[in-house]
Amino acid sequence: MDEKSPNHARPLLYSVGTQIVAQKDVMAANDRIAHPAGAVGVIVRSPVDRTHAYRVKFNDGFEAAIHHDQLVRLSEFKSLPIRAADAALMSSGLYDRVIYRCVIGSRAYGLQDDASDTDRRGIYLPPAELHWSLYGVPEQLENDETQEVYWELQKFIVLALKANPNVLECLYSPIVESASPLGQELLEMRDAFLSKLVFQTFSGYVASQFKKMQTDIRNQGRVKWKHVMHLIRLLISGTHVLRKGEMMVDVGHHRDRLLRVKRGEMSFADADTWRTALQREFESAFQTTQLPDRPDYERANAFLVDARRRAMKEQLP
Protein backbone atom coordinates (compact mmCIF):
# COMPACT_ATOMS: atom_id res chain seq x y z
CA MET A 1 0.00 0.00 0.00
CA ASP A 2 1.29 3.43 -0.86
CA GLU A 3 1.87 5.63 2.13
CA LYS A 4 -0.02 8.46 0.48
CA SER A 5 -3.64 8.33 -0.51
CA PRO A 6 -4.77 9.60 -3.93
CA ASN A 7 -5.62 12.98 -2.41
CA HIS A 8 -2.05 13.26 -1.04
CA ALA A 9 -3.05 12.98 2.63
CA ARG A 10 -0.33 13.07 5.22
CA PRO A 11 2.06 10.08 5.34
CA LEU A 12 0.85 6.94 7.09
CA LEU A 13 1.57 6.69 10.81
CA TYR A 14 1.56 3.42 12.73
CA SER A 15 -1.19 3.17 15.32
CA VAL A 16 -0.97 2.40 19.03
CA GLY A 17 -0.64 -1.34 19.59
CA THR A 18 1.44 -1.97 16.46
CA GLN A 19 4.34 -4.37 17.03
CA ILE A 20 7.61 -3.00 15.66
CA VAL A 21 11.24 -4.04 15.27
CA ALA A 22 13.91 -1.51 16.26
CA GLN A 23 16.34 -0.88 13.43
CA LYS A 24 19.02 0.59 15.71
CA ASP A 25 20.20 -0.05 19.23
CA VAL A 26 17.78 1.42 21.77
CA MET A 27 19.78 3.48 24.21
CA ALA A 28 19.17 4.08 27.93
CA ALA A 29 20.87 6.51 30.28
CA ASN A 30 24.66 6.66 30.43
CA ASP A 31 24.92 5.48 26.80
CA ARG A 32 23.88 2.01 27.86
CA ILE A 33 22.18 -0.23 25.29
CA ALA A 34 18.79 -1.07 26.74
CA HIS A 35 17.78 -3.23 23.76
CA PRO A 36 19.81 -4.17 20.67
CA ALA A 37 18.79 -3.53 17.11
CA GLY A 38 16.24 -6.19 16.18
CA ALA A 39 14.37 -6.01 19.49
CA VAL A 40 10.57 -6.16 19.33
CA GLY A 41 8.41 -3.54 21.01
CA VAL A 42 4.87 -2.15 20.94
CA ILE A 43 3.86 1.40 20.09
CA VAL A 44 2.12 2.96 23.10
CA ARG A 45 1.86 6.48 21.71
CA SER A 46 1.89 7.69 18.09
CA PRO A 47 3.16 11.13 17.07
CA VAL A 48 1.13 13.72 15.18
CA ASP A 49 3.54 13.51 12.24
CA ARG A 50 6.78 11.82 11.20
CA THR A 51 8.99 14.61 12.44
CA HIS A 52 8.20 13.47 15.98
CA ALA A 53 8.98 10.14 17.65
CA TYR A 54 6.82 7.19 18.63
CA ARG A 55 6.74 6.00 22.22
CA VAL A 56 7.66 2.31 22.18
CA LYS A 57 7.42 -0.14 25.08
CA PHE A 58 9.55 -3.29 25.22
CA ASN A 59 8.90 -6.61 26.98
CA ASP A 60 10.74 -5.61 30.14
CA GLY A 61 8.64 -2.48 30.49
CA PHE A 62 11.39 -0.14 29.22
CA GLU A 63 10.04 2.68 27.04
CA ALA A 64 11.91 4.74 24.47
CA ALA A 65 11.28 7.44 21.89
CA ILE A 66 11.97 6.08 18.38
CA HIS A 67 11.55 7.90 15.07
CA HIS A 68 9.73 6.41 12.10
CA ASP A 69 12.88 5.73 10.06
CA GLN A 70 14.39 3.74 12.93
CA LEU A 71 11.68 1.11 13.17
CA VAL A 72 9.72 -1.25 10.95
CA ARG A 73 6.46 -3.09 11.57
CA LEU A 74 7.03 -6.66 12.73
CA SER A 75 4.72 -8.02 10.02
CA GLU A 76 6.75 -6.25 7.33
CA PHE A 77 10.06 -7.32 8.89
CA LYS A 78 9.07 -10.98 8.67
CA SER A 79 7.99 -10.55 5.06
CA LEU A 80 11.23 -9.04 3.81
CA PRO A 81 12.52 -10.86 0.70
CA ILE A 82 15.03 -13.63 1.14
CA ARG A 83 17.37 -11.79 -1.18
CA ALA A 84 17.72 -8.05 -1.67
CA ALA A 85 16.03 -6.72 -4.79
CA ASP A 86 19.34 -5.46 -6.16
CA ALA A 87 21.27 -8.66 -5.36
CA ALA A 88 22.84 -10.63 -8.20
CA LEU A 89 20.62 -13.28 -9.75
CA MET A 90 20.63 -16.42 -7.62
CA SER A 91 22.16 -18.35 -10.51
CA SER A 92 23.97 -17.18 -13.60
CA GLY A 93 23.55 -18.68 -17.03
CA LEU A 94 19.75 -18.53 -17.34
CA TYR A 95 20.05 -16.97 -20.79
CA ASP A 96 21.84 -20.18 -21.77
CA ARG A 97 18.64 -22.02 -20.87
CA VAL A 98 16.58 -20.42 -23.65
CA ILE A 99 14.71 -23.15 -25.53
CA TYR A 100 12.98 -20.88 -28.05
CA ARG A 101 13.86 -17.51 -29.53
CA CYS A 102 11.95 -15.56 -32.16
CA VAL A 103 11.46 -12.04 -33.48
CA ILE A 104 8.17 -10.23 -32.93
CA GLY A 105 7.16 -6.62 -33.41
CA SER A 106 7.15 -4.69 -36.66
CA ARG A 107 9.62 -7.00 -38.42
CA ALA A 108 7.41 -10.03 -37.78
CA TYR A 109 4.25 -8.06 -38.59
CA GLY A 110 5.55 -6.99 -41.99
CA LEU A 111 5.35 -3.35 -40.87
CA GLN A 112 9.02 -2.53 -40.40
CA ASP A 113 10.84 0.54 -41.66
CA ASP A 114 14.46 1.73 -41.48
CA ALA A 115 14.03 2.83 -37.86
CA SER A 116 12.48 -0.42 -36.63
CA ASP A 117 14.11 -2.27 -33.74
CA THR A 118 14.51 -6.03 -33.63
CA ASP A 119 12.42 -7.28 -30.71
CA ARG A 120 13.24 -10.79 -29.57
CA ARG A 121 11.02 -12.92 -27.37
CA GLY A 122 11.18 -16.48 -26.22
CA ILE A 123 11.10 -19.07 -23.46
CA TYR A 124 13.63 -20.39 -21.02
CA LEU A 125 13.64 -23.59 -18.99
CA PRO A 126 15.38 -23.18 -15.61
CA PRO A 127 17.45 -26.08 -14.29
CA ALA A 128 15.40 -28.25 -11.94
CA GLU A 129 17.71 -27.69 -8.97
CA LEU A 130 17.30 -23.93 -9.16
CA HIS A 131 13.56 -24.19 -9.79
CA TRP A 132 13.18 -26.30 -6.63
CA SER A 133 15.37 -24.04 -4.54
CA LEU A 134 14.24 -21.63 -1.87
CA TYR A 135 15.08 -18.70 -4.14
CA GLY A 136 12.99 -19.81 -7.10
CA VAL A 137 13.41 -18.39 -10.58
CA PRO A 138 12.34 -15.13 -12.27
CA GLU A 139 9.14 -15.27 -14.32
CA GLN A 140 10.96 -13.56 -17.14
CA LEU A 141 14.40 -12.42 -18.19
CA GLU A 142 14.68 -8.93 -19.66
CA ASN A 143 17.46 -7.11 -21.44
CA ASP A 144 16.37 -3.60 -22.40
CA GLU A 145 19.55 -2.87 -24.34
CA THR A 146 19.03 -5.79 -26.73
CA GLN A 147 15.20 -5.65 -26.68
CA GLU A 148 14.97 -9.24 -25.43
CA VAL A 149 12.40 -10.85 -23.12
CA TYR A 150 12.26 -14.54 -22.26
CA TRP A 151 9.42 -16.01 -20.20
CA GLU A 152 9.94 -18.91 -17.81
CA LEU A 153 8.22 -21.92 -19.39
CA GLN A 154 5.31 -22.24 -16.94
CA LYS A 155 4.62 -18.50 -17.03
CA PHE A 156 4.60 -18.63 -20.83
CA ILE A 157 2.21 -21.58 -20.90
CA VAL A 158 -0.21 -19.96 -18.46
CA LEU A 159 -0.29 -16.76 -20.53
CA ALA A 160 -0.79 -18.73 -23.73
CA LEU A 161 -3.72 -20.63 -22.20
CA LYS A 162 -5.30 -17.25 -21.38
CA ALA A 163 -4.90 -16.20 -25.05
CA ASN A 164 -2.41 -13.45 -24.30
CA PRO A 165 -1.79 -11.84 -27.72
CA ASN A 166 1.95 -11.24 -27.25
CA VAL A 167 2.54 -14.84 -26.24
CA LEU A 168 0.44 -16.34 -29.05
CA GLU A 169 2.28 -14.15 -31.55
CA CYS A 170 5.52 -15.53 -30.17
CA LEU A 171 4.35 -19.09 -30.92
CA TYR A 172 3.38 -18.15 -34.47
CA SER A 173 6.16 -15.72 -35.37
CA PRO A 174 7.38 -16.16 -38.96
CA ILE A 175 10.92 -15.35 -37.77
CA VAL A 176 12.21 -18.16 -35.54
CA GLU A 177 15.88 -17.73 -34.68
CA SER A 178 16.41 -20.84 -32.57
CA ALA A 179 14.50 -23.73 -31.01
CA SER A 180 15.84 -26.60 -28.96
CA PRO A 181 14.18 -30.01 -29.39
CA LEU A 182 11.85 -29.13 -26.48
CA GLY A 183 11.11 -25.75 -28.04
CA GLN A 184 10.29 -27.44 -31.33
CA GLU A 185 7.88 -29.78 -29.54
CA LEU A 186 6.09 -26.78 -28.11
CA LEU A 187 5.73 -25.25 -31.57
CA GLU A 188 4.29 -28.50 -32.88
CA MET A 189 1.51 -28.39 -30.27
CA ARG A 190 0.81 -24.63 -30.43
CA ASP A 191 -2.74 -25.23 -31.66
CA ALA A 192 -3.50 -26.59 -28.17
CA PHE A 193 -3.42 -23.01 -26.88
CA LEU A 194 -6.01 -21.65 -29.34
CA SER A 195 -9.62 -21.43 -28.23
CA LYS A 196 -12.61 -19.13 -28.23
CA LEU A 197 -10.93 -17.25 -25.38
CA VAL A 198 -9.12 -15.38 -28.16
CA PHE A 199 -12.36 -13.52 -28.80
CA GLN A 200 -12.92 -12.41 -25.21
CA THR A 201 -9.27 -11.57 -24.53
CA PHE A 202 -8.66 -9.61 -27.73
CA SER A 203 -12.05 -7.84 -27.66
CA GLY A 204 -11.68 -6.77 -24.05
CA TYR A 205 -8.22 -5.36 -24.62
CA VAL A 206 -9.12 -3.49 -27.80
CA ALA A 207 -12.31 -2.03 -26.33
CA SER A 208 -10.61 -0.78 -23.16
CA GLN A 209 -7.68 0.72 -25.07
CA PHE A 210 -9.86 2.50 -27.62
CA LYS A 211 -11.93 3.94 -24.80
CA LYS A 212 -8.75 5.39 -23.28
CA MET A 213 -7.75 6.77 -26.66
CA GLN A 214 -11.13 8.45 -27.10
CA THR A 215 -10.55 10.11 -23.75
CA ASP A 216 -7.08 11.25 -24.88
CA ILE A 217 -8.53 12.74 -28.06
CA ARG A 218 -11.24 14.52 -26.08
CA ASN A 219 -8.96 15.81 -23.31
CA GLN A 220 -5.61 16.26 -25.05
CA GLY A 221 -6.48 16.43 -28.73
CA ARG A 222 -3.94 13.75 -29.61
CA VAL A 223 -3.35 10.04 -29.45
CA LYS A 224 -0.45 7.61 -29.88
CA TRP A 225 -1.02 6.53 -33.45
CA LYS A 226 1.29 3.55 -33.20
CA HIS A 227 -0.98 2.13 -30.50
CA VAL A 228 -4.05 2.73 -32.65
CA MET A 229 -2.40 0.83 -35.49
CA HIS A 230 -1.55 -2.14 -33.29
CA LEU A 231 -5.07 -2.39 -31.90
CA ILE A 232 -6.46 -2.53 -35.43
CA ARG A 233 -3.81 -5.10 -36.33
CA LEU A 234 -4.85 -7.19 -33.35
CA LEU A 235 -8.46 -7.33 -34.58
CA ILE A 236 -7.28 -8.42 -38.02
CA SER A 237 -5.16 -11.18 -36.49
CA GLY A 238 -7.88 -12.24 -34.08
CA THR A 239 -10.43 -12.66 -36.86
CA HIS A 240 -7.96 -14.82 -38.76
CA VAL A 241 -7.44 -17.05 -35.70
CA LEU A 242 -11.15 -17.68 -35.32
CA ARG A 243 -11.63 -18.40 -39.01
CA LYS A 244 -8.49 -20.37 -39.82
CA GLY A 245 -7.43 -21.85 -36.49
CA GLU A 246 -3.97 -20.30 -36.57
CA MET A 247 -2.46 -17.01 -35.47
CA MET A 248 -1.65 -14.60 -38.29
CA VAL A 249 1.34 -12.48 -37.27
CA ASP A 250 2.42 -11.07 -40.63
CA VAL A 251 -0.21 -8.54 -41.72
CA GLY A 252 1.86 -7.17 -44.58
CA HIS A 253 -1.10 -7.28 -46.96
CA HIS A 254 -2.62 -4.47 -44.84
CA ARG A 255 0.73 -2.68 -44.62
CA ASP A 256 -0.08 0.55 -46.50
CA ARG A 257 -3.30 1.24 -44.66
CA LEU A 258 -1.88 0.35 -41.25
CA LEU A 259 1.17 2.54 -41.78
CA ARG A 260 -1.12 5.42 -42.69
CA VAL A 261 -2.66 5.02 -39.25
CA LYS A 262 0.77 4.83 -37.61
CA ARG A 263 1.87 8.07 -39.31
CA GLY A 264 -1.33 9.85 -38.26
CA GLU A 265 -2.43 10.26 -41.86
CA MET A 266 -5.85 8.82 -41.09
CA SER A 267 -8.24 10.72 -38.83
CA PHE A 268 -9.14 9.11 -35.54
CA ALA A 269 -12.78 9.02 -36.65
CA ASP A 270 -11.83 7.04 -39.78
CA ALA A 271 -9.59 4.75 -37.77
CA ASP A 272 -12.41 4.16 -35.32
CA THR A 273 -14.79 3.40 -38.18
CA TRP A 274 -12.31 0.81 -39.47
CA ARG A 275 -11.98 -0.60 -35.98
CA THR A 276 -15.77 -0.88 -35.63
CA ALA A 277 -16.08 -2.71 -38.95
CA LEU A 278 -13.30 -5.09 -37.96
CA GLN A 279 -14.99 -5.72 -34.61
CA ARG A 280 -18.15 -6.78 -36.45
CA GLU A 281 -16.09 -9.18 -38.56
CA PHE A 282 -14.45 -10.47 -35.40
CA GLU A 283 -17.85 -11.16 -33.81
CA SER A 284 -19.10 -12.84 -36.96
CA ALA A 285 -16.04 -15.09 -37.01
CA PHE A 286 -16.63 -15.93 -33.36
CA GLN A 287 -20.16 -17.16 -34.13
CA THR A 288 -18.90 -19.65 -36.72
CA THR A 289 -15.44 -20.58 -35.40
CA GLN A 290 -14.48 -24.23 -35.06
CA LEU A 291 -12.11 -23.52 -32.18
CA PRO A 292 -12.94 -25.20 -28.86
CA ASP A 293 -14.44 -23.26 -25.98
CA ARG A 294 -11.28 -23.67 -23.97
CA PRO A 295 -7.65 -24.55 -24.75
CA ASP A 296 -6.30 -28.06 -24.20
CA TYR A 297 -5.26 -27.76 -20.56
CA GLU A 298 -4.41 -31.43 -20.22
CA ARG A 299 -2.06 -31.41 -23.18
CA ALA A 300 -0.38 -28.24 -21.97
CA ASN A 301 0.01 -29.66 -18.47
CA ALA A 302 1.46 -32.93 -19.76
CA PHE A 303 4.03 -30.98 -21.78
CA LEU A 304 5.02 -28.89 -18.75
CA VAL A 305 5.41 -31.92 -16.47
CA ASP A 306 7.56 -33.66 -19.08
CA ALA A 307 9.66 -30.51 -19.50
CA ARG A 308 10.19 -30.32 -15.73
CA ARG A 309 11.43 -33.92 -15.70
CA ARG A 310 13.80 -33.23 -18.57
CA ALA A 311 15.10 -30.13 -16.79
CA MET A 312 16.82 -32.50 -14.35
CA LYS A 313 19.27 -33.47 -17.08
CA GLU A 314 22.53 -31.61 -17.32
CA GLN A 315 22.07 -30.63 -20.96
CA LEU A 316 19.33 -28.33 -22.18
CA PRO A 317 16.54 -30.44 -23.71
Side-chain angles (χ1 to χ4, degrees), residues 53 77 99 117 124 158 171-172 179 181 237 251 253 268 277 279 296:
F77 183 83
I99 62 171
D117 295 324
Y124 85 96
V158 169
L171 283 173
Y172 283 85
S237 296
V251 291
H253 52 295
F268 186 78
Q279 182 65 40
D296 193 337

Side-chain angles (χ1 to χ4, degrees), residues 94-109:
L94 289 182
Y95 280 93
D96 295 331
R97 301 287 298 182
V98 171
I99 62 171
Y100 176 66
R101 178 184 291 107
C102 69
V103 174
I104 65 163
S106 58
R107 297 191 183 281
Y109 303 146

Side-chain angles (χ1 to χ4, degrees), residues 120-181:
R120 291 182 171 87
R121 299 291 183 271
I123 310 162
Y124 85 96
L125 177 71
E129 186 173 295
L130 179 58
H131 185 81
W132 297 332
S133 74
L134 181 63
Y135 304 123
V137 295
E139 290 189 337
Q140 63 187 48
L141 309 175
E142 298 183 50
N143 188 326
D144 293 335
E145 291 184 5
T146 58
Q147 301 292 312
E148 293 178 272
V149 175
Y150 300 100
W151 290 278
E152 191 276 323
L153 179 60
Q154 181 173 340
K155 178 66 173 181
F156 182 91
I157 287 176
V158 169
L159 290 173
L161 290 170
K162 293 179 179 179
N164 179 283
N166 293 329
V167 166
L168 293 181
E169 288 172 357
C170 188
L171 283 173
Y172 283 85
S173 172
I175 310 175
V176 175
E177 293 191 331
S178 65
S180 73

Side-chain angles (χ1 to χ4, degrees), residues 236-305:
I236 294 171
S237 296
T239 300
H240 185 89
V241 173
L242 296 178
R243 287 176 175 169
K244 303 296 183 180
E246 63 177 8
M247 189 75 180
M248 180 178 67
V249 177
D250 189 336
V251 291
H253 52 295
H254 294 281
R255 175 182 170 88
D256 291 344
R257 196 175 182 190
L258 285 169
L259 290 182
R260 281 186 58 215
V261 174
K262 180 181 179 181
R263 294 190 295 263
E265 296 172 359
M266 181 183 296
S267 69
F268 186 78
D270 287 344
D272 195 26
T273 297
W274 187 14
R275 190 266 308 182
T276 302
L278 289 172
Q279 182 65 40
R280 286 195 295 267
E281 291 184 29
F282 196 26
E283 293 176 1
S284 176
F286 175 66
Q287 293 173 341
T288 59
T289 185
Q290 298 301 304
L291 289 179
D293 290 337
R294 297 284 172 170
D296 193 337
Y297 297 113
E298 292 301 321
R299 192 177 176 192
N301 184 64
F303 174 84
L304 178 61
V305 171

